[in-house]
Amino acid sequence: MTALIVAGTDTGVGKTLFSAGLTAALGAAYWKPVQSGLEDETDSEVVARLSGVTPLPETYRLQLPASPHLSAEADGVEIDPDALTLPEVDGPLVVEGAGGLMVPLNRRTYYLDLIARWKAPVILVARTQLGTINHTTLSLMALQGAGCPVIGVAFSGEAEPLVEETIKQMSDVPHLGRLDPIAEVTPKSLAQAFEAIDMNRIRGAL
Protein backbone atom coordinates (compact mmCIF):
# COMPACT_ATOMS: atom_id res chain seq x y z
CA MET A 1 0.00 0.00 0.00
CA THR A 2 1.28 3.45 -0.96
CA ALA A 3 -0.54 6.48 0.39
CA LEU A 4 -0.66 9.85 -1.35
CA ILE A 5 -1.75 12.82 0.75
CA VAL A 6 -3.78 15.54 -0.97
CA ALA A 7 -3.37 18.73 1.03
CA GLY A 8 -4.52 22.25 0.23
CA THR A 9 -3.45 25.81 0.79
CA ASP A 10 -6.91 26.64 2.17
CA THR A 11 -10.53 25.54 2.27
CA GLY A 12 -12.31 25.32 -1.07
CA VAL A 13 -9.20 25.24 -3.27
CA GLY A 14 -10.29 22.12 -5.14
CA LYS A 15 -8.84 19.29 -3.01
CA THR A 16 -11.93 17.12 -3.33
CA LEU A 17 -12.21 17.41 -7.13
CA PHE A 18 -8.50 16.70 -7.43
CA SER A 19 -8.80 13.75 -5.04
CA ALA A 20 -11.70 12.35 -7.06
CA GLY A 21 -9.78 12.67 -10.32
CA LEU A 22 -6.66 11.17 -8.77
CA THR A 23 -8.59 8.29 -7.23
CA ALA A 24 -10.16 7.45 -10.58
CA ALA A 25 -6.90 7.81 -12.52
CA LEU A 26 -5.01 5.51 -10.16
CA GLY A 27 -7.83 3.08 -9.42
CA ALA A 28 -7.02 3.90 -5.81
CA ALA A 29 -8.83 3.62 -2.52
CA TYR A 30 -9.92 6.94 -0.95
CA TRP A 31 -10.03 8.05 2.67
CA LYS A 32 -11.13 11.30 4.28
CA PRO A 33 -10.07 10.87 7.94
CA VAL A 34 -12.09 13.78 9.34
CA GLN A 35 -15.31 15.14 7.82
CA SER A 36 -16.57 18.42 9.23
CA GLY A 37 -20.13 19.21 8.12
CA LEU A 38 -22.78 16.65 7.23
CA GLU A 39 -25.72 18.72 5.96
CA ASP A 40 -24.53 18.88 2.35
CA GLU A 41 -22.87 16.25 0.19
CA THR A 42 -19.72 15.15 2.01
CA ASP A 43 -16.30 14.98 0.38
CA SER A 44 -16.42 11.18 0.45
CA GLU A 45 -19.80 11.25 -1.29
CA VAL A 46 -18.46 13.61 -3.96
CA VAL A 47 -15.46 11.35 -4.58
CA ALA A 48 -17.70 8.27 -4.76
CA ARG A 49 -19.98 9.95 -7.30
CA LEU A 50 -17.15 11.19 -9.51
CA SER A 51 -14.67 8.30 -9.25
CA GLY A 52 -16.92 5.27 -8.96
CA VAL A 53 -14.91 4.14 -5.93
CA THR A 54 -16.49 3.30 -2.58
CA PRO A 55 -14.55 5.39 -0.05
CA LEU A 56 -13.26 4.03 3.21
CA PRO A 57 -15.39 5.27 6.13
CA GLU A 58 -14.34 8.49 7.82
CA THR A 59 -12.92 8.01 11.31
CA TYR A 60 -14.66 11.20 12.50
CA ARG A 61 -17.95 12.46 11.07
CA LEU A 62 -18.72 15.82 12.66
CA GLN A 63 -21.89 17.85 12.23
CA LEU A 64 -20.60 21.43 12.23
CA PRO A 65 -19.00 22.76 9.00
CA ALA A 66 -16.00 24.35 10.72
CA SER A 67 -12.40 23.66 11.68
CA PRO A 68 -12.15 20.03 12.84
CA HIS A 69 -11.31 20.95 16.42
CA LEU A 70 -14.34 23.23 16.69
CA SER A 71 -16.60 20.69 15.00
CA ALA A 72 -15.41 18.01 17.41
CA GLU A 73 -15.93 20.26 20.42
CA ALA A 74 -19.46 21.05 19.23
CA ASP A 75 -20.14 17.30 19.11
CA GLY A 76 -18.62 16.80 22.57
CA VAL A 77 -15.61 14.79 21.37
CA GLU A 78 -11.89 15.33 20.89
CA ILE A 79 -10.06 14.10 17.80
CA ASP A 80 -7.35 11.63 18.77
CA PRO A 81 -4.46 11.64 16.24
CA ASP A 82 -3.55 8.10 17.36
CA ALA A 83 -6.89 6.96 15.91
CA LEU A 84 -5.91 8.31 12.49
CA THR A 85 -3.32 5.78 11.36
CA LEU A 86 -3.27 5.11 7.62
CA PRO A 87 -5.53 2.15 6.79
CA GLU A 88 -4.04 -0.85 5.05
CA VAL A 89 -5.40 -1.36 1.53
CA ASP A 90 -4.33 -3.18 -1.59
CA GLY A 91 -2.81 -0.72 -4.05
CA PRO A 92 -2.58 3.06 -3.74
CA LEU A 93 -4.55 5.09 -1.19
CA VAL A 94 -5.57 8.73 -1.72
CA VAL A 95 -5.94 10.57 1.59
CA GLU A 96 -7.65 13.98 1.57
CA GLY A 97 -6.91 16.48 4.28
CA ALA A 98 -9.25 19.14 5.69
CA GLY A 99 -8.78 22.84 4.96
CA GLY A 100 -5.18 24.03 5.07
CA LEU A 101 -2.15 22.50 6.71
CA MET A 102 -2.40 24.52 9.92
CA VAL A 103 -6.01 23.58 10.63
CA PRO A 104 -6.19 22.25 14.22
CA LEU A 105 -7.40 18.71 14.85
CA ASN A 106 -7.52 19.47 18.57
CA ARG A 107 -6.11 22.17 20.81
CA ARG A 108 -2.60 20.68 20.59
CA THR A 109 -2.31 19.17 17.12
CA TYR A 110 -2.34 20.65 13.62
CA TYR A 111 -3.21 18.65 10.52
CA LEU A 112 0.40 19.17 9.46
CA ASP A 113 1.53 17.22 12.53
CA LEU A 114 -0.56 14.27 11.40
CA ILE A 115 0.76 14.44 7.82
CA ALA A 116 4.32 14.53 9.14
CA ARG A 117 3.60 11.46 11.26
CA TRP A 118 2.32 9.56 8.21
CA LYS A 119 5.58 10.16 6.27
CA ALA A 120 3.70 9.76 2.97
CA PRO A 121 4.28 11.88 -0.15
CA VAL A 122 2.14 15.00 -0.43
CA ILE A 123 0.47 16.75 -3.36
CA LEU A 124 -0.38 20.38 -2.57
CA VAL A 125 -3.47 21.78 -4.33
CA ALA A 126 -3.44 25.56 -4.78
CA ARG A 127 -5.67 28.19 -6.36
CA THR A 128 -4.39 30.36 -9.19
CA GLN A 129 -6.17 33.44 -7.78
CA LEU A 130 -4.54 36.52 -6.27
CA GLY A 131 -2.76 35.64 -3.04
CA THR A 132 -1.78 32.14 -4.08
CA ILE A 133 1.96 32.88 -4.18
CA ASN A 134 1.93 33.73 -0.49
CA HIS A 135 -0.40 30.90 0.56
CA THR A 136 1.34 28.27 -1.55
CA THR A 137 4.86 29.28 -0.57
CA LEU A 138 4.00 29.30 3.13
CA SER A 139 2.36 25.89 2.81
CA LEU A 140 5.38 24.44 1.03
CA MET A 141 7.70 25.89 3.66
CA ALA A 142 5.56 24.30 6.38
CA LEU A 143 5.62 20.90 4.66
CA GLN A 144 9.34 21.02 4.04
CA GLY A 145 10.03 22.21 7.57
CA ALA A 146 8.07 19.26 8.94
CA GLY A 147 10.07 16.84 6.79
CA CYS A 148 7.15 15.91 4.52
CA PRO A 149 8.09 14.66 1.03
CA VAL A 150 6.34 16.86 -1.55
CA ILE A 151 5.57 15.45 -5.01
CA GLY A 152 4.60 18.86 -6.34
CA VAL A 153 1.88 21.49 -6.65
CA ALA A 154 -1.32 21.00 -8.64
CA PHE A 155 -3.18 24.21 -9.48
CA SER A 156 -6.91 24.74 -9.72
CA GLY A 157 -8.54 27.60 -11.65
CA GLU A 158 -7.96 29.79 -14.64
CA ALA A 159 -4.45 29.75 -16.10
CA GLU A 160 -1.99 32.19 -14.50
CA PRO A 161 1.30 31.13 -16.13
CA LEU A 162 3.50 33.81 -14.54
CA VAL A 163 2.12 33.11 -11.08
CA GLU A 164 2.44 29.35 -11.48
CA GLU A 165 6.00 29.64 -12.81
CA THR A 166 6.96 31.96 -9.94
CA ILE A 167 5.83 29.39 -7.37
CA LYS A 168 7.60 26.58 -9.22
CA GLN A 169 10.84 28.54 -9.53
CA MET A 170 11.05 30.17 -6.12
CA SER A 171 9.90 27.11 -4.17
CA ASP A 172 11.88 24.68 -6.35
CA VAL A 173 8.90 22.34 -6.59
CA PRO A 174 7.47 20.41 -9.56
CA HIS A 175 4.40 21.83 -11.33
CA LEU A 176 1.98 18.89 -11.61
CA GLY A 177 -0.46 20.66 -13.93
CA ARG A 178 -3.68 22.57 -13.52
CA LEU A 179 -7.37 21.71 -13.44
CA ASP A 180 -9.38 24.17 -15.52
CA PRO A 181 -12.73 25.31 -14.11
CA ILE A 182 -15.35 22.71 -15.08
CA ALA A 183 -18.80 24.07 -15.98
CA GLU A 184 -20.61 20.80 -15.23
CA VAL A 185 -18.64 18.36 -13.13
CA THR A 186 -19.26 14.77 -14.17
CA PRO A 187 -16.98 11.71 -14.12
CA LYS A 188 -16.32 12.27 -17.83
CA SER A 189 -15.61 16.01 -17.63
CA LEU A 190 -13.36 15.52 -14.60
CA ALA A 191 -11.42 12.76 -16.36
CA GLN A 192 -10.95 15.04 -19.37
CA ALA A 193 -9.73 17.92 -17.19
CA PHE A 194 -7.41 15.54 -15.35
CA GLU A 195 -5.53 14.82 -18.58
CA ALA A 196 -3.64 18.07 -17.84
CA ILE A 197 -2.17 16.55 -14.67
CA ASP A 198 1.30 14.98 -14.75
CA MET A 199 0.33 11.45 -13.78
CA ASN A 200 3.73 10.06 -14.73
CA ARG A 201 5.40 12.09 -11.99
CA ILE A 202 2.69 11.13 -9.51
CA ARG A 203 2.92 7.42 -10.36
CA GLY A 204 6.67 7.70 -9.98
CA ALA A 205 6.13 8.52 -6.30
CA LEU A 206 4.20 5.31 -5.67
Side-chain angles (χ1 to χ4, degrees), residues 2-192:
T2 301
L4 296 174
I5 313 302
V6 178
T9 56
D10 198 355
T11 299
V13 298
K15 290 191 306 298
T16 301
L17 279 186
F18 186 88
S19 295
L22 184 61
T23 298
L26 293 174
Y30 168 87
W31 184 45
K32 174 87 173 186
V34 180
Q35 172 65 45
S36 297
L38 302 178
E39 290 187 2
D40 299 321
E41 190 177 30
T42 66
D43 293 342
S44 292
E45 290 166 347
V46 171
V47 170
R49 174 169 55 83
L50 294 175
S51 71
V53 170
T54 300
L56 300 174
E58 304 97 330
T59 302
Y60 291 93
R61 288 175 55 86
L62 308 168
Q63 292 288 336
L64 185 68
S67 172
H69 76 297
L70 296 177
S71 299
E73 290 172 2
D75 282 358
V77 300
E78 181 176 293
I79 295 173
D80 179 5
D82 290 336
L84 299 176
T85 57
L86 293 174
E88 290 292 333
V89 301
D90 293 328
L93 170 67
V94 173
V95 182
E96 183 184 351
L101 294 165
M102 304 311 292
V103 165
L105 290 170
N106 56 43
R107 297 283 175 168
R108 300 172 303 282
T109 309
Y110 293 110
Y111 223 112
L112 176 63
D113 299 322
L114 184 62
I115 293 173
R117 180 187 297 189
W118 285 335
K119 302 184 185 302
V122 179
I123 297 171
L124 182 67
V125 179
R127 292 186 179 96
T128 56
Q129 296 171 351
L130 185 65
T132 194
I133 293 176
N134 177 70
H135 297 161
T136 306
T137 301
L138 285 172
S139 296
L140 289 167
M141 285 181 174
L143 286 167
Q144 292 159 357
C148 301
V150 178
I151 300 173
V153 176
F155 291 93
S156 176
E158 299 287 352
E160 292 289 349
L162 296 179
V163 169
E164 296 168 43
E165 180 60 28
T166 298
I167 292 170
K168 174 185 174 182
Q169 180 182 21
M170 295 193 70
S171 296
D172 191 23
V173 65
H175 187 316
L176 297 177
R178 179 180 52 81
L179 287 181
D180 271 324
I182 305 173
E184 182 180 355
V185 182
T186 65
K188 181 178 180 179
S189 64
L190 179 58
Q192 290 172 338

